[in-house]
Amino acid sequence: MVRKKAEHHERLLAPLEEIALHQENIEKIEYLQDWCPKLKILLMQSNLIAKIENLNKLKHLVYLNLALNNIEIIENLERCESLQKLDLTLNFIGEIVSVENLVNLYNLENLYLSGNPCTDYENYREFVIGTLPQLTYLDGLEVERSDRIKALQNLPIIRSDILFEQENYRGKRIKQKNRLEREIREKWENEYKDMDPEERNKKFWKEKCEHSPEVRYEMEKMRNLKLKSLDTGEKKQEKRVYKFFTEEGRPYNINQPQLDFLFSSDDPEFYMLDLAVYKHLDTSLIDVDVQPNYVRVIIRGKIFQIHLPEEVDTTNSIAQRSQITGHLVIKMPKSKVVLKTSKKNTAQYTTKEAMLYTEHKIEECDARTGQTKREYLEIGPSDNVLDFTKLTLANDNMSKPDYIDPRLKLQAKLPSPDFVDNPEVPDLI
């Protein structure tokens, strides 16, 4: 349990300076002074501790909180020489003379005893101020110099009165303890033994009870029984199962960790996601996954997912985290194809050639490699029909009777000098 509470310190106990062990049903203080010798702040309020012990080795302890426990005597703090603040609110301290055990704690400035039986004693405040002249605040109220002088002057008389009241309380407390122990034992052996757990629980919490350590133990026992009596077969609340995609395959928008975020699509080249990740969260607990049409961030097992309006280049996407604010910024370049048409200047061609040789340029930008692919296509006239009936045309200006279309000149071959035209050989079909 102690190591679990030290998660913020990588579970290391020796250099630990602060630990919170409140509301853990602890009944005894032990091992801490050996495990955590450098403790400065120890919070153990709302437990069942009956005795202050095993804290003498904590030489660096500055603040000790033991409020809401079952402590009846202030003791075993004489060697905590660095102690400045001690909180014993709502305990059962009736032995008010035990504050004299704090006399040698010269650094003690704040003491809280509110809610203890000793606060009902006459001249309680004057006795504590006179006994501990180093105090600056008692029960949250500042100790004035005049109060201290007055308390020191009347301390012998006040102390004798306090001792008388303390003896009266001690006698009442012994009788109360014996009576409550007997009543509680009889109640559990006779009345509660065969009673239905639910009825027993209702009856117990309706009864009036005294403010004492014994009753606190009984209340804690009842709470534990209530937890054990819960039906284990009762249907537990099932954890929500998140679906990442719709039936059509479109990614859902999910914000399971409930983080603030800013998604920017103003830049024509990039998408930008600013996710307000917890400032002190270790980066190793964050997993980023950028896909063409969505981005998913898993933070300590909780999923953040957002659908992207256009496809992005996953290879060149960048995720960075601020060392000051802890925000996670993901920059995702858009993956796109740009079609551009470049027309040649047809003024240098004839009308016929302009129709036959219209050039189109297709430029495709590869988002991953950044290279440009060019492809040139030739198309025919606007009606997309080539007229093969006029491949040869009569031309009076030419020496040959037949006109050969310029498109066929590149394919025409002259016969070799050794070629012999044999009329017996049939024409090729």
Side-chain angles (χ1 to χ4, degrees):
M1 181 184 67
V2 176
R3 287 196 181 276
K4 184 178 179 181
K5 295 292 183 177
E7 283 183 342
H8 64 285
H9 210 277
E10 299 180 354
R11 295 179 178 264
L12 299 177
L13 299 184
L16 193 66
E17 295 184 354
E18 178 181 351
I19 190 168
L21 299 173
H22 54 276
Q23 296 179 343
E24 296 291 347
N25 296 333
I26 299 172
E27 297 185 12
K28 185 177 181 180
I29 304 174
E30 51 187 352
Y31 308 122
L32 284 177
Q33 62 179 355
D34 299 320
W35 294 344
C36 314
K38 295 185 178 181
L39 271 182
K40 292 184 179 181
I41 300 176
L42 177 57
L43 307 177
M44 300 190 73
Q45 65 269 28
S46 299
N47 285 293
L48 299 173
I49 299 170
K51 185 177 181 180
I52 304 174
E53 57 185 342
N54 299 320
L55 296 175
N56 288 330
K57 295 181 181 179
L58 299 179
K59 301 295 183 180
H60 306 283
L61 189 63
V62 175
Y63 175 34
L64 175 61
N65 192 333
L66 291 172
L68 282 166
N69 279 282
N70 293 338
I71 298 169
E72 298 188 55
I73 300 176
I74 303 173
E75 57 186 342
N76 299 323
L77 292 174
E78 294 84 355
R79 296 183 183 179
C80 298
E81 54 195 30
S82 300
L83 191 62
Q84 297 178 9
K85 184 177 180 180
L86 176 61
D87 193 344
L88 296 170
T89 304
L90 287 173
N91 278 274
F92 300 95
I93 300 173
E95 302 284 338
I96 186 61
V97 180
S98 62
V99 298
E100 294 176 352
N101 295 327
L102 305 176
V103 171
N104 294 327
L105 300 181
Y106 299 108
N107 293 311
L108 185 63
E109 297 178 352
N110 291 272
L111 178 62
Y112 292 87
L113 294 171
S114 301
N116 286 276
C118 64
T119 57
D120 296 331
Y121 298 170
E122 190 176 355
N123 299 321
Y124 143 78
R125 184 175 175 86
E126 288 77 5
F127 174 74
V128 176
I129 293 174
T131 304
L132 303 176
Q134 70 270 36
L135 286 183
T136 305
Y137 291 91
L138 177 59
D139 297 334
L141 299 177
E142 185 177 1
V143 178
E144 302 290 343
R145 185 178 180 183
S146 58
D147 297 336
R148 185 177 289 108
I149 294 173
K150 184 179 179 180
L152 288 172
Q153 289 175 347
N154 300 322
L155 183 59
I157 301 174
I158 294 173
R159 191 175 190 278
S160 62
D161 294 339
I162 286 290
L163 286 174
F164 178 76
E165 294 191 60
Q166 180 177 285
E167 285 298 324
N168 290 337
Y169 170 79
R170 186 180 296 171
K172 293 179 181 178
R173 172 72 186 116
I174 293 173
K175 293 179 181 179
Q176 180 194 41
K177 182 178 180 181
N178 295 333
R179 177 175 55 83
L180 288 174
E181 287 179 350
R182 183 178 64 256
E183 290 178 357
I184 292 172
R185 184 173 60 253
E186 292 176 355
K187 188 192 303 182
W188 284 93
E189 289 178 355
N190 301 324
E191 187 176 356
Y192 288 165
K193 184 178 180 180
D194 301 325
M195 189 176 291
D196 181 72
E198 187 175 352
E199 294 180 3
R200 179 182 61 196
N201 186 62
K202 290 181 179 179
K203 183 177 181 180
F204 176 82
W205 294 110
K206 286 182 179 179
E207 291 178 351
K208 293 183 179 180
C209 60
E210 300 182 39
H211 184 57
S212 66
E214 292 76 24
V215 174
R216 276 194 182 174
Y217 280 116
E218 187 185 17
M219 292 170 66
E220 191 59 37
K221 180 180 179 180
M222 181 60 71
R223 288 194 190 96
N224 293 333
L225 287 175
K226 183 180 179 181
L227 293 175
K228 291 180 182 179
S229 64
L230 291 176
D231 186 10
T232 54
E234 185 179 354
K235 186 177 179 181
K236 297 181 179 179
Q237 185 178 4
E238 298 181 355
K239 292 184 177 180
R240 178 180 176 183
V241 179
Y242 284 86
K243 294 183 179 180
F244 297 152
F245 306 95
T246 62
E247 295 180 356
E248 295 79 14
R250 180 187 180 279
Y252 279 118
N253 292 327
I254 304 172
N255 190 0
Q256 191 178 1
Q258 300 295 322
L259 295 176
D260 295 332
F261 67 94
L262 178 63
F263 182 75
S264 175
S265 59
D266 298 336
D267 195 313
E269 301 294 333
F270 295 93
Y271 286 130
M272 191 78 71
L273 174 63
D274 186 347
L275 191 60
V277 179
Y278 315 115
K279 182 177 180 180
H280 299 290
L281 182 67
D282 195 319
T283 306
S284 62
L285 301 176
I286 304 174
D287 185 17
V288 180
D289 182 18
V290 179
Q291 295 296 330
N293 61 338
Y294 70 90
V295 57
R296 181 185 301 161
V297 183
I298 301 177
I299 303 168
R300 294 190 68 177
K302 296 185 177 181
I303 300 165
F304 176 91
Q305 178 174 293
I306 189 168
H307 174 58
L308 302 175
E310 298 179 20
E311 290 192 359
V312 298
D313 178 9
T314 59
T315 305
N316 295 320
S317 297
I318 300 173
Q320 296 177 325
R321 191 174 180 205
S322 172
Q323 295 182 354
I324 299 175
T325 63
H327 283 215
L328 178 67
V329 179
I330 305 175
K331 188 177 181 181
M332 298 164 284
K334 298 178 182 179
S335 178
K336 58 185 179 179
V337 176
V338 180
L339 297 179
K340 296 181 179 179
T341 304
S342 60
K343 297 182 180 180
K344 286 187 176 180
N345 187 4
T346 56
Q348 55 182 330
Y349 302 108
T350 63
T351 304
K352 188 178 217 180
E353 289 173 337
M355 294 174 64
L356 292 175
Y357 300 100
T358 303
E359 183 182 272
H360 287 260
K361 175 184 175 185
I362 299 179
E363 182 177 345
E364 180 181 354
C365 296
D366 192 334
R368 296 188 177 185
T369 62
Q371 297 179 352
T372 302
K373 299 178 182 178
R374 292 184 175 87
E375 185 177 356
Y376 295 88
L377 302 177
E378 289 186 356
I379 62 174
S382 59
D383 57 1
N384 292 328
V385 178
L386 293 175
D387 188 359
F388 294 100
T389 60
K390 299 180 180 180
L391 292 178
T392 59
L393 299 175
N395 191 340
D396 297 336
N397 299 328
M398 302 183 65
S399 59
K400 294 183 180 181
D402 294 332
Y403 170 73
I404 300 176
D405 192 275
R407 291 174 294 179
L408 303 178
K409 286 184 179 181
L410 296 176
Q411 300 179 0
K413 295 184 178 179
L414 296 176
S416 62
D418 299 333
F419 174 75
V420 177
D421 186 8
N422 190 348
E424 296 181 0
V425 177
D427 296 335
L428 293 176
I429 298 175

